[in-house]
Amino acid sequence: MTEQLGIRTPRRLIVTGGAGFIGANFVHYWCGKYPGDRVVVLDALTYAGNRATIAPLEGKANLRFVQGDICDRPLIDQLLKEEDIDLLVHFAAESHVDRSILGPGAFVQTNVVGTFTLLEAFRQHWLAHDQPDTFRFHHVSTDEVYGSLEPDDPAFTETTPYAPNSPYSASKAGSDHLVRAYHHTYGLPTLMTNCSNNYGPYHFPEKLIPLMCINILLGKPLPVYGDGQNVRDWLYVEDHCSAIDAVIHGSKPGETYNVGGNNEVKNLDLVHKLCDLMDELAPDLPVRPAKQLITFVKDRPGHDRRYAINATKLKTDLGWTPAQTVDSGLRQTVLWYLNHRDWWQPLLSQEYQAYYQKVYASV
Ligand code: NAD
Ligand code: DAU
């Protein structure tokens, strides 16, 4: 009713995975934009979760942090009830393709079983409230579920058939299918977004862009898989957050939207851009020009060649467009890694070094 009069009704939301890269950016975005909302962050704090990322918000009365697993049904039931939740935004996942190749089990557990646990708990909660049409379950997913494109193929649309190629993308596809089925079968008011590669602040060091930024700053080799000609479609993380916001506030239940920046770049070109930006912006690099550090390494098994997102539906239905280009976003990101050594240095732990040795044994 109040939303019909143009006044927004405050929401009470759980953000799963809100201490991870995109989830934490989303929590910062949402708390800044909707300070009257109640935000409960649920995160297991795996290696990829970092409570320090949202620490500045924890002093606020409207934010609660809960360390817990999305597979823990009693905990989810308790939080939904005691916090009187009407919106669940689901980021929690095992998210790194290389780790899914080393150990797929955790991906099936968190991404499939965890998403199922949340869906079933949310359905019971929604039923207990007589199925309000204001409740939403927003599932955050990936373009990787669509598989790999040839150079001249059109970009992925919402109707592109699923063809996941890695244990990670297969587990995300499984979770997407469950979300779809819960809407189709039970009428659960779900929403889903399938987004391309994100980058920006608070990105864990194992992913391409932070890994390259940190290795340039440390003067370490920059490992490029295969021939470096694989293509990704890069989106600045805050643009992903604004897209999710647009879908939550503007979409009818049951819809799926692709989210992308229309920024296709070959990996090797991207690494060159990062080297050039670091050469320009970093005062005391151990190795300059940084591109001397580029090292071609063994390819990722099953490496998808190209991703590209067609985000026309999101633009047409909801008027969303990204604010950053890849050049403006990369400049901001490089500056962020330059100025936030205190954030990333502690993440280069023994566990991380052991993982690094396994994947980059030859470097
Ligand atoms: P991330 O790995 O940085 O963060 C994942 C978070 O989930 C961490 O904080 C971790 O502690 C938490 N988590 C893991 N298992 C959990 C469990 N069982 N219970 C509770 N919390 C758990 O991931 P990200 O890059 O921020 O990705 C977030 C979501 O967005 C994922 O669902 C991912 O599939 C999707 N996505 C990511 C990208 C990208 O480029 N990073 C692009 C599109 C979609
Ligand atoms: O497309 C969305 C997906 O993007 C998300 O669903 C995933 O959660 C996210 O991790 C990301 O997956 P990618 O595998 O595309 O991202 P990553 O940063 O791992 O790698 C990007 C590209 O860079 C990919 O082609 C592999 C390559 N690469 C990566 C690393 C870590 C390298 O060449 N060298 C590296 O050391």
Side-chain angles (χ1 to χ4, degrees), residues 95 142-144 168 197 208 223 225 232 267 300 303 360:
S95 72
T142 169
D143 60 356
E144 298 203 13
Y168 162 67
N197 286 62
L208 179 72
Y225 294 159
R232 296 294 183 265
N267 290 341
R300 172 187 278 175
H303 195 175
Y360 303 101

Side-chain angles (χ1 to χ4, degrees), residues 264-276:
E264 283 186 61
V265 188
K266 289 181 180 150
N267 290 341
L268 187 58
D269 295 341
L270 184 86
V271 174
H272 274 279
K273 278 177 190 285
L274 292 171
C275 289
D276 291 346

Side-chain angles (χ1 to χ4, degrees), residues 321-337:
T321 49
Q324 301 293 338
T325 63
V326 81
D327 286 326
S328 64
L330 284 180
R331 179 171 285 270
Q332 286 186 43
T333 304
V334 164
L335 280 169
W336 193 88
Y337 277 90

Side-chain angles (χ1 to χ4, degrees), residues 199-202 209 213-214 217 236 273-274 276-283 327-344:
Y199 66 101
Y202 307 120
I209 288 180
C213 289
I214 290 169
L217 288 169
Y236 192 65
K273 278 177 190 285
L274 292 171
D276 291 346
L277 280 165
M278 281 291 186
D279 287 341
E280 179 195 333
L281 299 169
D327 286 326
S328 64
L330 284 180
R331 179 171 285 270
Q332 286 186 43
T333 304
V334 164
L335 280 169
W336 193 88
Y337 277 90
L338 259 174
N339 294 326
H340 291 83
R341 199 178 266 260
D342 56 328
W343 184 85
W344 55 261

Side-chain angles (χ1 to χ4, degrees), residues 94-98 141-144 168 172 195-198 203 206-209 211-212 223-226 228 230-232 234 267 297 300 303-304 307 355 360:
E94 289 293 337
S95 72
H96 191 34
V97 174
D98 291 325
S141 193
T142 169
D143 60 356
E144 298 203 13
Y168 162 67
K172 290 297 290 186
C195 190
S196 62
N197 286 62
N198 283 216
H203 206 175
E206 68 193 352
K207 304 284 174 72
L208 179 72
I209 288 180
L211 186 143
M212 294 298 164
V224 173
Y225 294 159
N230 302 64
V231 174
R232 296 294 183 265
W234 293 96
N267 290 341
V297 300
R300 172 187 278 175
H303 195 175
D304 283 337
Y307 304 141
Y355 158 80
Y360 303 101

Side-chain angles (χ1 to χ4, degrees), residues 20-238:
F21 164 48
I22 308 173
N25 275 283
F26 179 82
V27 171
H28 280 280
Y29 169 96
W30 198 273
C31 291
K33 188 162 176 192
Y34 306 113
D37 283 12
R38 169 75 169 165
V39 179
V40 179
V41 174
L42 173 64
D43 197 297
L45 297 181
T46 68
Y47 79 93
N50 187 350
R51 197 163 168 178
T53 309
I54 51 165
L57 299 169
E58 283 201 51
K60 307 219 186 299
N62 275 358
L63 187 116
R64 173 180 172 194
F65 178 82
V66 178
Q67 182 171 359
D69 192 325
I70 58 167
C71 300
D72 182 347
R73 177 66 192 273
L75 173 65
I76 312 297
D77 288 341
Q78 181 202 325
L79 290 176
L80 290 171
K81 192 167 176 195
E82 79 186 16
E83 292 287 351
D84 199 14
I85 295 299
D86 58 28
L87 171 62
L88 190 152
V89 191
H90 177 31
F91 293 93
E94 289 293 337
S95 72
H96 191 34
V97 174
D98 291 325
R99 288 197 193 242
S100 84
I101 296 166
L102 293 172
F107 288 71
V108 175
Q109 180 63 19
T110 287
N111 300 358
V112 182
V113 178
T115 302
F116 163 71
T117 306
L118 292 172
L119 280 166
E120 192 50 21
F122 195 80
R123 183 170 79 88
Q124 296 303 335
H125 176 65
W126 173 69
L127 286 171
H129 285 76
D130 293 330
Q131 309 175 34
D133 61 8
T134 50
F135 277 29
R136 293 289 183 274
F137 183 106
H138 187 113
H139 178 58
V140 179
S141 193
T142 169
D143 60 356
E144 298 203 13
V145 296
Y146 298 122
S148 183
L149 293 167
E150 295 297 327
D152 297 324
D153 284 346
F156 303 128
T157 70
E158 290 78 1
T159 55
T160 301
Y162 275 32
N165 288 319
S166 71
Y168 162 67
S169 55
S171 67
K172 290 297 290 186
S175 66
D176 290 12
H177 290 316
L178 284 168
V179 172
R180 181 189 148 84
Y182 266 68
H183 177 72
H184 188 80
T185 303
Y186 303 116
L188 195 73
T190 60
L191 299 167
M192 183 152 65
T193 39
N194 292 81
C195 190
S196 62
N197 286 62
N198 283 216
Y199 66 101
Y202 307 120
H203 206 175
F204 191 79
E206 68 193 352
K207 304 284 174 72
L208 179 72
I209 288 180
L211 186 143
M212 294 298 164
C213 289
I214 290 169
N215 282 14
I216 294 170
L217 288 169
L218 299 177
K220 289 178 61 180
L222 308 179
V224 173
Y225 294 159
D227 62 4
Q229 299 304 300
N230 302 64
V231 174
R232 296 294 183 265
D233 184 352
W234 293 96
L235 183 72
Y236 192 65
V237 62
E238 200 171 275

